Amino acid sequence: MKIVVPRTLSPLNALNFSKFLSTQHHEREFVYDFSQMQHCPAFGMLIVSNAIRKNIESFPQSQHIPINYDSTQGCQLASEFGFFQACGWDIGRLPSQKAYGETYIPIKKISVKDLQNRYLSSTIVLGEMIDWHSLELASTLTQDDSSEATKTIQYCLREIIRNSFEHGRTDEVWICGQFWKARNTAQIGIIDSGCGIYRSLRQNRHYNPRNDADANKLALQPGVTRTYGIKQYDDFWSNSGYGLFMASSICCIGGSFWLCSGNDATLVNSDGQRNYSIACNGTAVCMDIHTDRIDDIEKLLPEIATKGNSEARRHGSERILTASKVSTIASLVKSSKKPTE
């Protein structure tokens, strides 16, 4: 069977390709044709490589043959990012846990064990290790360890990685990212193979999402967390249910945020929220961040949190029972202070 990889790995194209591969049945051989693959942003490469890797794992007795994997500039870029290695083939770069590029993060796996080994301490809580590593990743993208762009990306990375480890029942995530300094934009993709958002929220009796789309919409609301109403340890890093809300709100200031889990992908931007049918085991997030729109992240975060607190109190139990009546993140962002043009 011949499978043609899309020319442009936009989020929706990549997610549709992943859904297509998830429907396949056993074949004697799968031939993956990369002759058209040209435009390869970070999230698209992460999703497509994950889909191919899962297809190879699903049909280990089949032959999985890549062809035309050096025929375009897009393929050459993907090779530098470790795309083909992530698929499962010995082609191109093999990024180590410590490997980086200039203003980009190649496709690689981050595990709890890796973090523990990296920071050589059994006494530091996981949240702090994630925070340190997020700063390292953000500094790699921006080539600056103290700019507002770095702080913004660090915050978003930290919240999404923490969400995967704390609520997804997984101890590893895959990540890929790139920063375009001339455009002041970054795209970061993170994917895990955990339990997914629907199953995570269903563990809490306070929530009753009807399906994946409902669960994703609930997860984007302020104060929604699997541990809502459950006693937690007195830990600075304990999750308050604002991580996805805060990160997505930041992305919506000029950019966009994709939350993908189960059979739903929710796109959030300044125009509102849209849903697409997909097939995603676990959870995937795409963050498009416009760093030039954020001049003081430490001032912006309390402003977003205050709006979120107000929203959570206004809807109370109604908010945690259904997502149908709550305001969208886009509406909250629109009411925020306008960015300097």
Coordinates of all heavy atoms in Angstrom, one line a residue, residues 184-231:
N184 N 9.0 37.0 15.2 CA 8.6 37.0 16.6 C 7.5 35.9 16.9 O 6.6 36.2 17.7 CB 8.2 38.3 17.1 CG 9.3 39.4 17.1 OD1 10.3 39.2 17.8 ND2 9.1 40.4 16.3
T185 N 7.7 34.8 16.3 CA 6.7 33.7 16.5 C 7.3 32.4 16.8 O 8.4 32.1 16.3 CB 5.8 33.5 15.3 OG1 6.5 33.2 14.1 CG2 5.0 34.8 15.0
A186 N 6.7 31.6 17.6 CA 7.2 30.3 17.9 C 6.0 29.3 17.7 O 4.9 29.6 17.9 CB 7.7 30.2 19.4
Q187 N 6.4 28.1 17.2 CA 5.4 27.0 17.2 C 6.0 25.8 18.0 O 7.1 25.4 17.8 CB 5.1 26.5 15.8 CG 4.0 25.4 15.9 CD 3.5 25.0 14.5 OE1 3.9 23.9 14.0 NE2 2.6 25.8 13.9
I188 N 5.2 25.3 18.9 CA 5.7 24.2 19.8 C 4.6 23.1 19.8 O 3.4 23.4 20.0 CB 5.9 24.7 21.2 CG1 7.0 25.8 21.2 CG2 6.4 23.5 22.1 CD1 7.0 26.6 22.5
G189 N 5.0 21.9 19.6 CA 4.1 20.8 19.6 C 4.5 19.8 20.8 O 5.7 19.6 21.0
I190 N 3.6 19.3 21.5 CA 3.8 18.4 22.6 C 2.7 17.3 22.5 O 1.5 17.6 22.3 CB 3.7 19.0 24.0 CG1 4.8 20.1 24.1 CG2 3.9 18.0 25.1 CD1 4.7 20.9 25.4
I191 N 3.2 16.0 22.5 CA 2.2 14.9 22.4 C 2.6 13.8 23.4 O 3.7 13.6 23.7 CB 2.2 14.3 21.0 CG1 1.0 13.4 20.8 CG2 3.5 13.7 20.6 CD1 0.8 12.9 19.4
D192 N 1.5 13.2 24.0 CA 1.8 12.1 24.9 C 0.8 10.9 24.5 O -0.1 11.1 23.7 CB 1.6 12.5 26.4 CG 0.1 12.8 26.7 OD1 -0.8 12.0 26.5 OD2 -0.1 13.9 27.3
S193 N 1.1 9.8 25.1 CA 0.2 8.6 24.9 C -0.5 8.2 26.1 O -0.7 7.0 26.4 CB 1.1 7.4 24.3 OG 1.7 7.7 23.1
G194 N -0.9 9.2 26.9 CA -1.6 9.0 28.2 C -3.0 8.6 28.0 O -3.5 8.2 26.9
C195 N -3.8 8.8 29.1 CA -5.2 8.4 29.1 C -6.1 9.3 28.4 O -7.3 8.9 28.1 CB -5.6 8.2 30.6 SG -5.7 9.8 31.5
G196 N -5.7 10.5 28.0 CA -6.5 11.4 27.3 C -7.4 12.3 28.3 O -7.6 11.9 29.4
I197 N -7.9 13.4 27.8 CA -8.6 14.3 28.6 C -9.9 13.8 29.1 O -10.3 13.9 30.3 CB -8.7 15.7 27.9 CG1 -7.4 16.3 27.7 CG2 -9.7 16.6 28.6 CD1 -7.4 17.5 26.9
Y198 N -10.7 13.1 28.2 CA -12.0 12.6 28.6 C -11.9 11.7 29.8 O -12.6 11.8 30.8 CB -12.6 11.9 27.4 CG -14.0 11.3 27.7 CD1 -15.1 12.0 27.8 CD2 -14.0 9.9 28.0 CE1 -16.4 11.4 28.0 CE2 -15.3 9.3 28.3 CZ -16.4 10.1 28.3 OH -17.6 9.5 28.6
R199 N -11.0 10.7 29.7 CA -10.8 9.7 30.8 C -10.3 10.4 32.0 O -10.7 10.0 33.1 CB -9.9 8.6 30.3 CG -10.6 7.6 29.3 CD -9.6 6.6 28.8 NE -9.1 5.8 29.9 CZ -8.1 4.9 29.9 NH1 -7.4 4.8 28.7 NH2 -7.7 4.2 30.9
S200 N -9.4 11.4 31.9 CA -8.9 12.0 33.0 C -10.0 12.8 33.8 O -10.1 12.6 35.0 CB -7.8 13.0 32.6 OG -7.3 13.7 33.7
L201 N -10.8 13.5 33.1 CA -11.8 14.3 33.8 C -12.9 13.4 34.3 O -13.6 13.7 35.4 CB -12.4 15.3 32.8 CG -11.5 16.5 32.4 CD1 -12.3 17.4 31.5 CD2 -11.0 17.3 33.7
R202 N -13.2 12.3 33.7 CA -14.2 11.4 34.2 C -13.8 10.7 35.5 O -14.7 10.1 36.2 CB -14.5 10.3 33.1 CG -15.2 10.8 31.9 CD -16.6 11.1 32.1 NE -17.4 9.9 32.3 CZ -18.7 9.8 32.3 NH1 -19.4 10.9 32.1 NH2 -19.4 8.7 32.5
Q203 N -12.6 10.8 35.9 CA -12.2 10.3 37.2 C -12.7 11.1 38.4 O -12.8 10.7 39.5 CB -10.6 10.3 37.3 CG -9.9 9.4 36.4 CD -8.4 9.5 36.5 OE1 -7.9 9.3 37.6 NE2 -7.8 9.8 35.4
N204 N -13.2 12.3 38.1 CA -13.7 13.2 39.1 C -15.2 13.3 39.0 O -15.8 13.6 37.9 CB -13.1 14.6 38.9 CG -13.4 15.5 40.1 OD1 -14.5 15.6 40.6 ND2 -12.3 16.3 40.5
R205 N -15.9 13.0 40.1 CA -17.4 13.0 40.1 C -18.0 14.3 39.8 O -19.2 14.4 39.5 CB -17.9 12.4 41.4 CG -17.5 13.3 42.6 CD -18.0 12.7 43.9 NE -17.6 13.6 45.1 CZ -18.3 14.6 45.5 NH1 -19.4 15.0 44.8 NH2 -17.9 15.3 46.5
H206 N -17.2 15.4 39.9 CA -17.8 16.7 39.7 C -18.0 17.0 38.2 O -18.7 17.9 37.8 CB -16.9 17.8 40.3 CG -16.8 17.8 41.8 ND1 -15.9 17.0 42.4 CD2 -17.5 18.5 42.7 CE1 -16.0 17.2 43.7 NE2 -17.0 18.1 43.9
Y207 N -17.4 16.2 37.4 CA -17.5 16.4 35.9 C -18.2 15.3 35.2 O -18.2 14.2 35.6 CB -16.1 16.5 35.3 CG -15.2 17.6 35.9 CD1 -14.0 17.2 36.5 CD2 -15.6 18.9 35.9 CE1 -13.1 18.2 37.1 CE2 -14.7 19.9 36.5 CZ -13.5 19.5 37.1 OH -12.7 20.4 37.6
N208 N -19.0 15.7 34.2 CA -19.7 14.8 33.4 C -19.6 15.1 31.9 O -20.6 15.3 31.3 CB -21.2 14.7 33.9 CG -21.9 13.6 33.2 OD1 -21.4 12.6 32.9 ND2 -23.2 13.8 33.0
P209 N -18.4 15.1 31.3 CA -18.3 15.4 29.9 C -19.0 14.3 29.1 O -18.8 13.1 29.4 CB -16.8 15.4 29.7 CG -16.2 14.6 30.7 CD -17.1 14.8 31.9
R210 N -19.7 14.6 28.1 CA -20.4 13.6 27.3 C -19.6 12.9 26.3 O -19.9 11.8 25.8 CB -21.6 14.3 26.6 CG -22.6 14.9 27.6 CD -23.5 15.9 26.9 NE -22.7 17.1 26.5 CZ -23.2 18.2 25.9 NH1 -24.5 18.3 25.7 NH2 -22.4 19.2 25.6
N211 N -18.5 13.6 25.8 CA -17.7 13.1 24.7 C -16.3 13.8 24.8 O -16.1 14.7 25.6 CB -18.4 13.3 23.4 CG -18.9 14.7 23.2 OD1 -18.2 15.7 23.5 ND2 -20.2 14.8 22.7
D212 N -15.5 13.5 23.8 CA -14.1 14.2 23.8 C -14.2 15.7 23.6 O -13.5 16.4 24.2 CB -13.3 13.5 22.7 CG -12.9 12.1 23.0 OD1 -12.4 11.9 24.2 OD2 -13.1 11.2 22.2
A213 N -15.1 16.1 22.7 CA -15.2 17.5 22.4 C -15.7 18.3 23.7 O -15.1 19.4 24.0 CB -16.2 17.8 21.3
D214 N -16.6 17.7 24.4 CA -17.1 18.3 25.6 C -16.0 18.4 26.7 O -15.8 19.4 27.4 CB -18.3 17.5 26.2 CG -19.1 18.3 27.1 OD1 -19.1 19.6 27.1 OD2 -19.8 17.7 28.0
A215 N -15.2 17.3 26.7 CA -14.1 17.2 27.7 C -13.0 18.2 27.4 O -12.5 18.9 28.3 CB -13.5 15.8 27.7
N216 N -12.7 18.4 26.1 CA -11.7 19.3 25.7 C -12.1 20.7 26.0 O -11.3 21.6 26.5 CB -11.3 19.2 24.2 CG -10.6 17.9 23.9 OD1 -10.1 17.2 24.8 ND2 -10.4 17.7 22.6
K217 N -13.4 21.0 25.8 CA -13.9 22.4 26.0 C -13.9 22.7 27.5 O -13.5 23.8 28.0 CB -15.3 22.5 25.5 CG -15.8 24.0 25.5 CD -17.1 24.1 24.7 CE -17.5 25.6 24.6 NZ -18.8 25.7 23.9
L218 N -14.2 21.7 28.3 CA -14.2 21.8 29.8 C -12.7 22.0 30.2 O -12.5 22.9 31.1 CB -14.7 20.6 30.5 CG -16.2 20.5 30.7 CD1 -16.7 19.1 31.1 CD2 -16.6 21.5 31.7
A219 N -11.8 21.3 29.7 CA -10.4 21.4 30.1 C -9.8 22.7 29.9 O -8.9 23.1 30.6 CB -9.6 20.3 29.4
L220 N -10.3 23.4 28.9 CA -9.8 24.8 28.6 C -10.4 25.9 29.5 O -10.0 27.0 29.4 CB -10.1 25.1 27.1 CG -9.3 24.4 26.1 CD1 -9.9 24.5 24.7 CD2 -7.9 24.9 26.1
Q221 N -11.4 25.5 30.3 CA -12.0 26.5 31.2 C -11.1 26.7 32.5 O -10.5 25.7 33.0 CB -13.4 26.1 31.6 CG -14.3 26.0 30.4 CD -14.4 27.2 29.6 OE1 -14.4 28.3 30.1 NE2 -14.3 27.1 28.3
P222 N -11.2 27.9 33.1 CA -10.4 28.1 34.3 C -10.9 27.3 35.5 O -12.1 27.2 35.7 CB -10.6 29.6 34.5 CG -11.9 30.0 33.8 CD -11.9 29.1 32.6
G223 N -10.0 26.7 36.2 CA -10.3 26.0 37.5 C -10.7 24.6 37.2 O -11.1 23.9 38.2
V224 N -10.7 24.1 36.0 CA -11.1 22.7 35.7 C -9.8 21.8 35.8 O -8.9 22.0 35.1 CB -11.7 22.6 34.3 CG1 -12.0 21.1 34.0 CG2 -13.1 23.3 34.3
T225 N -9.9 20.8 36.7 CA -8.8 19.9 36.9 C -9.3 18.6 37.3 O -10.3 18.5 38.0 CB -7.7 20.4 37.9 OG1 -6.8 19.4 38.1 CG2 -8.4 20.9 39.2
R226 N -8.6 17.5 37.0 CA -9.0 16.2 37.5 C -9.1 16.1 39.0 O -9.9 15.4 39.6 CB -7.9 15.2 37.0 CG -8.2 13.7 37.5 CD -7.1 12.8 37.0 NE -5.8 13.2 37.4 CZ -5.2 12.9 38.6 NH1 -5.9 12.2 39.5 NH2 -4.0 13.3 38.9
T227 N -8.2 17.0 39.7 CA -8.2 16.9 41.2 C -9.1 17.9 41.8 O -9.0 18.1 43.0 CB -6.7 17.1 41.6 OG1 -6.3 18.4 41.1 CG2 -5.8 16.0 41.1
Y228 N -10.0 18.5 41.1 CA -11.0 19.5 41.7 C -11.7 18.8 42.8 O -12.4 17.7 42.6 CB -11.9 20.0 40.6 CG -13.0 20.9 41.2 CD1 -12.7 22.3 41.4 CD2 -14.2 20.4 41.6 CE1 -13.7 23.1 41.9 CE2 -15.2 21.3 42.1 CZ -14.9 22.6 42.3 OH -15.9 23.4 42.8
G229 N -11.8 19.4 44.0 CA -12.6 18.9 45.1 C -11.9 17.7 45.8 O -12.4 17.2 46.8
I230 N -10.7 17.3 45.4 CA -10.0 16.2 46.0 C -8.8 16.8 46.8 O -8.1 17.7 46.3 CB -9.4 15.3 44.9 CG1 -10.6 14.7 44.1 CG2 -8.6 14.1 45.5 CD1 -10.1 13.9 42.9
K231 N -8.6 16.3 48.0 CA -7.5 16.8 48.8 C -6.2 16.6 48.1 O -5.9 15.6 47.6 CB -7.5 16.1 50.2 CG -6.4 16.6 51.1 CD -6.5 16.0 52.5 CE -5.4 16.6 53.3 NZ -5.5 16.2 54.7

